Amino acid sequence: KKIIVDLSDQMLYAYDNNELFMKEKISSGIEDTPTPRGYFRIFKKTPSRYMQGPLPGISEDTYDLPGVPWSMYFTSGGAAIHGAFWHDEFGKSHSHGCINLPPEKAEKIYKWADMGTSVFVRD
């Protein structure tokens, strides 16, 4: 299994061997808080997570989001693939560095992906 996030077209592609499991519009990080690029692995999964900011030294934007659904972390800095119920701006940058999906799509990929699934984020 592998997940490819293409930031240039704001799309997530998930493959099981070479078979496409999911193709979905995402919202990645805005200019001030970009989504990290590179090769990663999912190392932590939480079905619901309380997320809040600002991110000291990175952004002064405040957010307070209880119950962020279906989070799969792929960097130690907190970047995750997760559901977003607070906006419907999928297809363009909108997040603080995470990969946002509609909640029902986030649940589907959360249940499909295993710990250690590769995540490749590219431009």
Side-chain angles (χ1 to χ4, degrees), residues 51-101:
M51 295 183 184
Q52 62 185 148
L55 305 169
I58 298 173
S59 172
E60 297 306 312
D61 288 347
T62 58
Y63 56 97
D64 188 14
L65 299 167
V68 175
W70 313 115
S71 298
M72 300 187 298
Y73 291 87
F74 60 90
T75 74
S76 59
I81 298 167
H82 63 71
F85 55 79
W86 54 93
H87 75 83
D88 61 0
E89 300 289 320
F90 305 104
K92 60 184 178 179
S93 297
H94 190 85
S95 80
H96 289 92
C98 289
I99 303 297
N100 293 179
L101 285 166

Side-chain angles (χ1 to χ4, degrees), residues 7-57:
L7 301 176
S8 65
D9 64 3
Q10 292 292 294
M11 293 293 292
L12 177 146
Y13 305 90
Y15 293 92
D16 199 337
N17 292 315
N18 288 324
E19 187 176 326
L20 184 64
F21 171 76
M22 179 184 286
K23 176 182 177 184
E24 187 64 34
K25 288 182 180 180
I26 57 130
S27 290
S28 65
I30 58 174
E31 187 176 334
D32 288 347
T33 55
T35 300
R37 277 88 164 152
Y39 289 95
F40 309 97
R41 293 203 177 273
I42 294 170
F43 68 90
K44 181 179 181 180
K45 295 172 67 174
T46 58
S48 181
R49 179 73 184 223
Y50 181 29
M51 295 183 184
Q52 62 185 148
L55 305 169

